[in-house]
Amino acid sequence: MVNFKINIDGISKFISREEIKLFENEAISNFKKIVDRTGEGNESLGWVDLPENISANLIAKVNEEANRIVAQSEVIVIAGIGGSYLGARAVIEALSPYFSKNNQKEIIYAGHNISEDYLDSLINWLDNKSYSLIVISKSGTTLETAIAFRLLKTHLEKKYGKDEAKKRITAITDAKKGALKESSNIEGYQTFIIPEDIGGRYSVLTPVGLLPIACAGFNIEKIISGAKNMRKKILESTEVFENPAFLYATIRNILYNKGKVIEILAQYEPKLFYFCEWWKQLFGESEGKKGKGIFPVSVGFTTDLHSLGQYIQEGQRIFFETVISIEKSKNALKIPKLKADFDGLNYIADKNIHDINSIAEKGTSLAHIDGNVPVIKFTLPEINEENIGEMLYFFKFSCALSSYYNDINPFDQPGVEAYKSNIYSLLKKL
Ligand code: PA5
């Protein structure tokens, strides 16, 4: 049983149910490539059964390490980029309150840019904080992460001395290879392994995501349990209207073939901003190959209705929209009624703000559909650990499935090497 629901009323003007049904066999064949491990990139399918296979022992070790890190730190720095960064940040930001962090430790990020200003400010700010560092890199050689790690390791050693610094560094990397693995062995850092058969953007349910999330005070068992429920849902039916991943992947590809080459993921809850960043990386890096693929972008509504809204309504008709809709609010904040109705808002007085946001969502979707933008809607009752776990698994599976519609290997990223080799040659790396 999953809480996540998919509503396709907003595409009925563009695609018929019969058209979707015609793709069922293709969906089944792509599904088999994943579950029977026969598709391209099948050496990277470790994430498929991970929610079932993850051991209680590993979860306990992650929680134990998180407790140790939290006990010794005011601030925890997570250094990583791409798949070694976005999953953790997506979940932490989605689950954290906007302002008061209560007893939560401050989680900050590094290694995801090469801004001197950012890194210099970070180091100066950390001078007066007690902190620990979690460094995450599967290859162990990524430039952005390696630069941040070198700076922070040096800073920690200067601030605490070499022995204490070692206790404040935890490395998450490959079991055997890479510079980070090597330095962890030499220095004796506490280390977690990224399984060989799970690539960066599919790794959020490994220690890559779980350790930072546990440090932020969230229940990783519940996230895994949500992912497990979604896995069960996706594996139990090959009927296209019963299987949410079949339905999403199929609709995306039908729309793509009709010229809708951009997918806009829209959220109405700003704490989902990084969830959308994670989604963009997942789909962009998985599908954008061989001159093909839907270009993934994201918007935060209603904020972006005042910027990109105009284009979405009336610009080129080349996109479709996928909305993440949250049914319930944790609060009960209402519009106050004022005697002097100076702003004319008394017509919505006593209405809950969340209800107004939901009405804005409904009105916007209807306008976009009228403007020839197909809308797929995903609904979650609320943002919590289980529901986030469901979404993480849902999008990973759908992404792999969707890539196979276009004969794309969802698990490699050959194009990322081009910019890297240019940087290295410009920097005269030997
Ligand atoms: O999804 C991917 O594979 C990439 O985004 C990587 O996660 C990213 O490039 C970071 O790589 P690494 O973990 O090797 O530092």
Side-chain angles (χ1 to χ4, degrees):
M1 165 78 182
V2 293
N3 294 320
F4 173 94
K5 290 198 182 65
I6 175 165
N7 178 321
I8 57 165
D9 293 350
I11 57 139
S12 58
K13 187 176 143 189
F14 311 90
I15 308 176
S16 67
R17 287 178 77 86
E18 294 68 39
E19 215 173 337
I20 296 172
K21 194 74 183 165
L22 286 178
F23 279 81
E24 193 166 80
N25 285 339
E26 192 169 346
I28 293 173
S29 134
N30 292 333
F31 176 75
K32 285 191 172 154
K33 287 183 185 158
I34 301 173
V35 292
D36 298 342
R37 290 170 159 65
T38 51
E40 224 192 320
N42 57 23
E43 66 287 356
S44 301
L45 285 167
W47 55 273
V48 176
D49 296 331
L50 183 69
E52 283 297 332
N53 292 346
I54 190 163
S55 72
N57 188 28
L58 177 60
I59 294 174
K61 272 196 182 146
V62 167
N63 279 327
E64 196 183 303
E65 176 66 356
N67 290 338
R68 190 187 71 80
I69 293 172
V70 163
Q72 69 185 11
S73 333
E74 271 175 85
V75 174
I76 299 157
V77 184
I78 316 290
I81 194 168
S84 291
Y85 153 66
L86 283 165
R89 188 159 195 181
V91 176
I92 293 169
E93 305 253 337
L95 295 174
S96 296
Y98 282 107
F99 299 105
S100 75
K101 301 277 182 213
N102 302 325
N103 294 327
Q104 248 180 287
K105 296 292 168 171
E106 187 144 13
I107 309 282
I108 55 172
Y109 302 87
H112 57 302
N113 60 52
I114 322 179
S115 158
E116 181 177 330
D117 197 7
Y118 184 97
L119 290 163
D120 190 57
S121 306
L122 174 66
I123 284 170
N124 288 333
W125 184 74
L126 287 170
D127 267 345
N128 303 316
K129 307 274 178 194
S130 99
Y131 80 99
S132 300
L133 170 66
I134 300 175
V135 54
I136 310 171
S137 177
K138 186 166 187 190
S139 62
T141 53
T142 302
L143 184 65
E144 293 87 339
T145 308
I147 290 174
F149 180 48
R150 191 179 268 229
L151 286 167
L152 290 165
K153 170 180 152 64
T154 308
H155 184 255
L156 276 167
E157 288 175 355
K158 206 165 136 207
K159 184 173 161 104
Y160 294 104
K162 225 171 165 357
D163 286 342
E164 177 63 19
K166 283 182 194 174
K167 297 185 196 140
R168 289 177 177 267
I169 296 173
T170 305
I172 306 180
T173 189
D174 188 80
K176 298 184 201 120
K177 54 181 195 307
L180 185 56
K181 179 65 192 163
E182 244 170 72
S183 65
S184 303
N185 286 347
I186 295 167
E187 304 281 8
Y189 301 141
Q190 180 63 258
T191 305
F192 287 87
I193 300 306
I194 308 173
E196 204 180 350
D197 57 357
I198 303 182
R201 57 195 175 275
Y202 293 82
S203 71
V204 56
L205 298 176
T206 72
V208 169
L210 297 179
L211 182 61
I213 294 167
C215 286
F218 299 111
N219 187 322
I220 56 174
E221 284 96 327
K222 286 188 180 171
I223 296 174
I224 293 164
S225 151
K228 230 189 235 185
N229 292 340
M230 182 54 82
R231 177 181 171 278
K232 189 163 175 276
K233 174 81 189 162
I234 291 175
L235 296 190
E236 78 192 358
S237 171
T238 54
E239 207 282 308
V240 68
F241 291 103
E242 285 301 313
N243 186 319
F246 272 37
L247 195 53
Y248 179 47
T250 302
I251 291 172
R252 292 179 88 245
N253 281 286
I254 296 175
L255 291 171
Y256 176 59
N257 290 328
K258 289 180 192 268
K260 304 289 187 191
V261 294
I262 297 174
E263 179 175 11
I264 303 170
L265 186 68
Q267 47 82 7
Y268 286 74
E269 198 57 70
K271 54 169 64 170
L272 292 177
F273 177 87
Y274 274 98
F275 190 88
C276 295
E277 294 298 297
W278 171 81
W279 171 90
K280 273 197 298 208
Q281 190 228 346
L282 176 66
F283 279 83
E285 222 168 49
S286 297
E287 287 194 309
K289 290 163 203 167
K290 300 185 191 166
K292 296 190 261 189
I294 297 169
F295 187 69
V297 300
S298 63
V299 290
F301 288 157
T302 58
T303 313
D304 287 332
L305 288 175
H306 300 259
S307 65
L308 291 172
Q310 170 59 37
Y311 193 103
I312 296 171
Q313 194 64 45
E314 294 183 344
Q316 287 192 75
R317 305 295 72 195
I318 50 173
F319 35 72
F320 62 99
E321 190 174 306
T322 300
V323 176
I324 302 178
S325 177
I326 309 297
E327 279 172 333
K328 281 190 266 169
S329 154
K330 287 200 173 75
N331 320 294
L333 191 61
K334 291 182 193 299
I335 307 274
K337 185 162 192 158
L338 298 182
K339 242 191 196 152
D341 187 16
F342 63 90
D343 51 8
L345 281 189
N346 271 356
Y347 76 104
I348 47 171
D350 295 331
K351 276 202 193 306
N352 197 290
I353 308 268
H354 185 74
D355 294 341
I356 297 174
N357 203 20
S358 301
I359 289 168
E361 179 199 308
K362 199 171 170 189
T364 306
S365 292
L366 288 173
H368 289 174
I369 295 163
D370 279 348
N372 284 329
V373 177
V375 175
I376 305 168
K377 177 169 160 177
F378 295 135
T379 308
L380 289 175
E382 60 182 313
I383 302 176
N384 63 24
E385 281 102 330
E386 281 95 348
N387 294 343
I388 290 287
E390 286 184 13
M391 281 216 293
L392 292 171
Y393 193 87
F394 169 76
F395 280 122
K396 284 194 284 183
F397 203 100
S398 302
C399 180
L401 199 61
S402 183
S403 306
Y404 284 140
Y405 274 87
N406 284 306
D407 290 324
I408 296 295
N409 174 356
F411 308 115
D412 63 359
Q413 50 285 324
V416 176
E417 295 312 311
Y419 96 88
K420 284 189 188 170
S421 59
N422 278 353
I423 295 184
Y424 292 143
S425 86
L426 289 166
L427 288 172
K428 304 199 178 359
K429 183 181 178 187
L430 293 177

mmCIF file of all heavy atoms in Angstrom, residues 81-84 137-139 142 200-201 281 285 413, ligand 1:
data_model
loop_
_atom_site.group_PDB
_atom_site.id
_atom_site.type_symbol
_atom_site.label_atom_id
_atom_site.label_comp_id
_atom_site.label_asym_id
_atom_site.label_seq_id
_atom_site.Cartn_x
_atom_site.Cartn_y
_atom_site.Cartn_z
ATOM 1 N N ILE A 81 29.180 16.037 -4.632
ATOM 2 C CA ILE A 81 28.534 16.721 -5.765
ATOM 3 C C ILE A 81 27.686 15.710 -6.544
ATOM 4 O O ILE A 81 27.939 14.493 -6.471
ATOM 5 C CB ILE A 81 29.600 17.396 -6.680
ATOM 6 C CG1 ILE A 81 28.965 18.389 -7.662
ATOM 7 C CG2 ILE A 81 30.430 16.369 -7.433
ATOM 8 C CD1 ILE A 81 29.981 19.305 -8.378
ATOM 9 N N GLY A 82 26.710 16.211 -7.299
ATOM 10 C CA GLY A 82 25.874 15.338 -8.142
ATOM 11 C C GLY A 82 25.173 14.306 -7.289
ATOM 12 O O GLY A 82 24.560 14.612 -6.263
ATOM 13 N N GLY A 83 25.290 13.064 -7.703
ATOM 14 C CA GLY A 83 24.646 11.978 -6.971
ATOM 15 C C GLY A 83 25.224 11.762 -5.583
ATOM 16 O O GLY A 83 24.604 11.097 -4.744
ATOM 17 N N SER A 84 26.379 12.321 -5.324
ATOM 18 C CA SER A 84 26.981 12.198 -3.996
ATOM 19 C C SER A 84 26.611 13.388 -3.110
ATOM 20 O O SER A 84 27.280 13.653 -2.111
ATOM 21 C CB SER A 84 28.507 12.087 -4.119
ATOM 22 O OG SER A 84 28.828 10.842 -4.698
ATOM 23 N N SER A 137 32.412 10.544 -2.150
ATOM 24 C CA SER A 137 32.773 10.491 -3.567
ATOM 25 C C SER A 137 33.018 9.043 -3.954
ATOM 26 O O SER A 137 33.878 8.379 -3.374
ATOM 27 C CB SER A 137 34.031 11.330 -3.830
ATOM 28 O OG SER A 137 34.404 11.212 -5.184
ATOM 29 N N LYS A 138 32.228 8.568 -4.906
ATOM 30 C CA LYS A 138 32.394 7.166 -5.303
ATOM 31 C C LYS A 138 33.724 6.965 -6.013
ATOM 32 O O LYS A 138 34.483 6.061 -5.688
ATOM 33 C CB LYS A 138 31.233 6.725 -6.198
ATOM 34 C CG LYS A 138 31.288 5.259 -6.509
ATOM 35 C CD LYS A 138 30.023 4.707 -7.084
ATOM 36 C CE LYS A 138 30.181 3.185 -7.184
ATOM 37 N NZ LYS A 138 29.141 2.551 -7.932
ATOM 38 N N SER A 139 33.991 7.861 -6.962
ATOM 39 C CA SER A 139 35.254 7.718 -7.697
ATOM 40 C C SER A 139 36.432 8.133 -6.812
ATOM 41 O O SER A 139 37.539 7.653 -6.976
ATOM 42 C CB SER A 139 35.237 8.606 -8.935
ATOM 43 O OG SER A 139 35.127 9.967 -8.537
ATOM 44 N N THR A 142 36.706 13.250 -7.884
ATOM 45 C CA THR A 142 35.962 14.392 -8.429
ATOM 46 C C THR A 142 36.569 15.709 -7.941
ATOM 47 O O THR A 142 36.740 15.919 -6.734
ATOM 48 C CB THR A 142 34.477 14.266 -8.017
ATOM 49 O OG1 THR A 142 34.005 13.015 -8.512
ATOM 50 C CG2 THR A 142 33.637 15.379 -8.568
ATOM 51 N N GLY A 200 25.988 6.948 -8.723
ATOM 52 C CA GLY A 200 25.774 8.141 -7.894
ATOM 53 C C GLY A 200 24.322 8.557 -7.737
ATOM 54 O O GLY A 200 23.776 8.621 -6.637
ATOM 55 N N ARG A 201 23.649 8.825 -8.858
ATOM 56 C CA ARG A 201 22.287 9.387 -8.763
ATOM 57 C C ARG A 201 21.242 8.378 -8.322
ATOM 58 O O ARG A 201 20.078 8.732 -8.141
ATOM 59 C CB ARG A 201 21.912 10.073 -10.080
ATOM 60 C CG ARG A 201 21.987 9.192 -11.294
ATOM 61 C CD ARG A 201 21.960 10.013 -12.572
ATOM 62 N NE ARG A 201 22.154 9.175 -13.749
ATOM 63 C CZ ARG A 201 23.341 8.817 -14.237
ATOM 64 N NH1 ARG A 201 24.440 9.227 -13.643
ATOM 65 N NH2 ARG A 201 23.419 8.061 -15.315
ATOM 66 N N GLN A 281 18.681 16.045 -11.825
ATOM 67 C CA GLN A 281 19.939 15.343 -12.080
ATOM 68 C C GLN A 281 19.674 13.902 -12.479
ATOM 69 O O GLN A 281 20.267 13.372 -13.420
ATOM 70 C CB GLN A 281 20.839 15.366 -10.838
ATOM 71 C CG GLN A 281 22.245 14.868 -11.150
ATOM 72 C CD GLN A 281 22.761 13.843 -10.175
ATOM 73 O OE1 GLN A 281 22.198 13.648 -9.107
ATOM 74 N NE2 GLN A 281 23.832 13.189 -10.536
ATOM 75 N N GLU A 285 20.821 13.313 -16.270
ATOM 76 C CA GLU A 285 22.054 12.547 -16.471
ATOM 77 C C GLU A 285 21.755 11.138 -16.976
ATOM 78 O O GLU A 285 22.593 10.500 -17.603
ATOM 79 C CB GLU A 285 22.848 12.494 -15.154
ATOM 80 C CG GLU A 285 24.326 12.696 -15.371
ATOM 81 C CD GLU A 285 25.100 12.949 -14.077
ATOM 82 O OE1 GLU A 285 24.927 12.198 -13.104
ATOM 83 O OE2 GLU A 285 25.892 13.907 -14.059
ATOM 84 N N GLN A 413 27.238 8.104 -17.804
ATOM 85 C CA GLN A 413 27.207 9.553 -18.060
ATOM 86 C C GLN A 413 28.440 9.949 -18.873
ATOM 87 O O GLN A 413 29.276 10.730 -18.425
ATOM 88 C CB GLN A 413 27.092 10.395 -16.775
ATOM 89 C CG GLN A 413 28.066 10.109 -15.630
ATOM 90 C CD GLN A 413 27.747 8.849 -14.885
ATOM 91 O OE1 GLN A 413 26.586 8.506 -14.694
ATOM 92 N NE2 GLN A 413 28.773 8.112 -14.488
HETATM 93 O O1 PA5 B 1 25.233 10.307 -10.852
HETATM 94 C C1 PA5 B 1 26.437 10.302 -10.990
HETATM 95 O O2 PA5 B 1 27.084 9.271 -11.225
HETATM 96 C C2 PA5 B 1 27.238 11.578 -10.847
HETATM 97 O O3 PA5 B 1 26.404 12.675 -10.681
HETATM 98 C C3 PA5 B 1 28.185 11.489 -9.657
HETATM 99 O O4 PA5 B 1 27.455 11.206 -8.496
HETATM 100 C C4 PA5 B 1 28.981 12.780 -9.464
HETATM 101 O O5 PA5 B 1 29.695 13.094 -10.628
HETATM 102 C C5 PA5 B 1 29.952 12.647 -8.303
HETATM 103 O O6 PA5 B 1 30.808 11.570 -8.510
HETATM 104 P P1 PA5 B 1 31.681 10.968 -7.344
HETATM 105 O O7 PA5 B 1 30.796 10.359 -6.329
HETATM 106 O O8 PA5 B 1 32.544 9.944 -8.029
HETATM 107 O O9 PA5 B 1 32.496 12.098 -6.761
#
